[in-house]
Amino acid sequence: MSLRSAARWVATLWRECGVQVRSTVAATLVQGLVVLAAGGLLLLSLVHDLRTGVDAATLSTAQSIAALVPDSVTESPGLRSAIEEAARRRQAVQVLDENGAVVASSPELRGSRAVVGDQPAPGATERRKVRLPFDDDPYRVTVLGGEVSDDGRDRRFTVVVAQSVGTGEDTLHAAVVAMAVAGPLLLLTVGFATYVFVGRSLRPVTRIRSTVEGISHRDLSERVPIPPGRDEVARLATTMNSMLTGLERADAAQRQFVSDASHELRSPIATLRAAADIALTQPERTDPRDLARLVRGEARRLDGLVADLLLLARVDERGRARTATDGEGVEEVDLDDLVTDEHRRLRAATTLNVTMHREPARVLGDPRELSRVLRNLTDNAARHAHHEISVDLRRNGSRALLTVWNDGAPIPPADRDRVFDRFVRLEESRTRDSGGSGLGLAIVREVVAAHGGSVRVLDVAAGTGFRVELPLAGEFDAGPGR
Ligand SMILES: Nc1ncnc2c1ncn2[C@@H]1O[C@H](COP(=O)(O)OP(=O)(O)OP(=O)(O)O)[C@@H](O)[C@H]1O
Ligand SMILES: [Mg+2]
């Protein structure tokens, strides 16, 4: 296995094992590094302290003994007592002449040869680690060079002072053993504690996951358990529950829509079927012109309904992707031109008294959809008016205000939000059998919302008024003569 594929294998394994294992491994690794670094530093400082302590003690003994070496470089009573004094401090001493021969030494080394071969220059020192014949412990020595003058002749000598580092090294060994035992134990404890703690923290997540897994598309009424407290997991569970509520609501709305749409589509189809049955079974009772008129009427109704459904689906689809004002087919639309066209159409198509007020107002959007908004509102107004309709377009700050009003029965306050829902027709309209499917205002609301605007029923003293607000396109410049 090459190094690269081994690294890839480790990376895959790392990704695949769960958060619990990953946290445990990471915590143990970090803890291991900390223990190693701290242990290493501790050992280094112990070794350093041990050495400097021994070196300072042996150097000071070597210097005081060097000061007592007589000019003849022989053993003298002063030198002997200084060496005995050092022996009491558990230091072994040798004084060597310039030929390396031992001229004085502490009792344990009496009769031994020189323990080191170095003969440093006067005043210079050397440091060594040696084994001495009378002891198994290692010793650290300071070798100090010296010089005396005997009858005008310079004589060099060397003082060797050794001190055992055995006890210090024993302490070091004990520290290493303690770390070798305590370190892994500490790591095991840290790893175990992390594993248990993370596992316990993740338990609610596992419960949430298995609940969500059990929530099928058919039954969105179940909710995930919310653990006590206000931590991230509790917040995740709360968010997930509100998402489930939203999904449940959207799912219910979708089902309602499909069932309403099928119901609406079925009634013209049923009418056509009944008419065809009668035409086939009782041809003498059927006037072909009446039949054709009926077929044409119902086909038109079906056509309108399908077109409305398609438009709603398109606005829905686009709303999911982006708003109407930043997509394709978007252009600057002069609302006042749309109002003028609609005014002309109404005057031609109805006997009602239609008044109009307009100010130039340009918005960003889809011209076909916006004229559809106007058409739906004026169709409703024409359907419910007794004598009068007014269409009014004004600018207010950065918004265009379009108001369509008609005299006639007002919409009861309780129904003023509901009328914008799909397939909602109020009682009065049903009895009129005007052929409306209840999608007109739903289309108005969704198209307007997709253009960043809003629509509502106005609270007016008489009749019914609808107010559409749309954001104007950029800085509107009416220009001269408009
Ligand atoms: N100007 C109005 N005056 C009184 N009631 C209205 C007016 N406009 C709408 N409504 C009420 O709101 C209901 C919903 O209107 P909407 O335009 O959505 O549907 P519709 O006109 O019945 O059918 P469609 O527009 O799909 O042909 C209408 O059925 C009617 O009861
Ligand atoms: Mg309508």
Side-chain angles (χ1 to χ4, degrees), residues 308 380-381 383-384 406 409 411 419 424-426 429 436-442 464 466:
D308 283 355
N380 282 352
R383 193 179 287 162
H384 297 278
N406 66 274
I411 298 179
V419 285
V424 167
R425 278 163 300 186
L426 304 184
S429 320
S437 57
L439 286 176
L441 288 177
T464 303
F466 282 87

Side-chain angles (χ1 to χ4, degrees), residues 210-340:
S210 60
T211 314
V212 171
E213 219 167 42
I215 296 177
S216 72
H217 185 62
R218 296 194 165 279
D219 181 18
L220 290 165
S221 62
E222 233 185 292
R223 295 291 176 267
V224 300
I226 298 179
R230 290 167 51 81
D231 60 3
E232 288 82 353
V233 180
R235 289 208 293 273
L236 170 76
T238 314
T239 310
M240 196 161 273
N241 278 346
S242 52
M243 187 189 78
L244 282 170
T245 307
L247 279 179
E248 190 186 14
R249 234 180 255 148
D251 184 59
Q254 174 117 359
R255 281 163 202 267
Q256 184 65 41
F257 180 64
V258 170
S259 114
D260 288 346
S262 347
H263 182 77
E264 288 296 324
L265 287 168
R266 267 167 101 177
S267 85
I269 292 172
T271 311
L272 287 172
R273 230 167 99 178
D277 283 347
I278 293 173
L280 285 173
T281 51
Q282 303 167 1
E284 67 288 350
R285 273 187 55 191
T286 314
D287 176 358
R289 291 177 66 83
D290 284 349
L291 182 63
R293 244 179 252 121
L294 182 127
V295 169
R296 189 175 60 188
E298 292 305 308
R300 201 176 282 155
R301 198 168 147 191
L302 272 175
D303 193 33
L305 189 58
V306 171
D308 283 355
L309 290 174
L310 284 176
L311 175 60
L312 274 175
R314 206 173 71 220
V315 177
D316 256 8
E317 182 62 33
R318 206 180 34 195
R320 251 195 294 279
R322 55 184 186 273
T323 62
T325 47
D326 61 0
E328 277 169 38
V330 166
E331 52 191 79
E332 293 202 338
V333 183
D334 286 318
L335 277 185
D336 44 319
D337 289 348
L338 298 185
V339 167
T340 313

Side-chain angles (χ1 to χ4, degrees), residues 359-381:
E359 288 175 8
R362 189 175 291 162
V363 297
L364 267 187
D366 183 324
R368 280 182 313 151
E369 288 180 4
L370 288 171
S371 76
R372 189 61 199 275
V373 165
L374 196 55
R375 167 74 59 95
N376 286 2
L377 290 175
T378 51
D379 273 354
N380 282 352

Side-chain angles (χ1 to χ4, degrees), residues 2 158 418 469:
S2 76
T158 305
R418 205 166 69 82
E469 288 194 36

Side-chain angles (χ1 to χ4, degrees), residues 42 62 67 73 76 156 185 203 273 321 336 354 396 415 445:
L42 182 70
V73 190
S76 67
R156 285 196 180 187
L185 264 181
R203 215 173 288 157
R273 230 167 99 178
D336 44 319
V354 188
N396 183 5
D415 293 325
R445 182 176 63 182

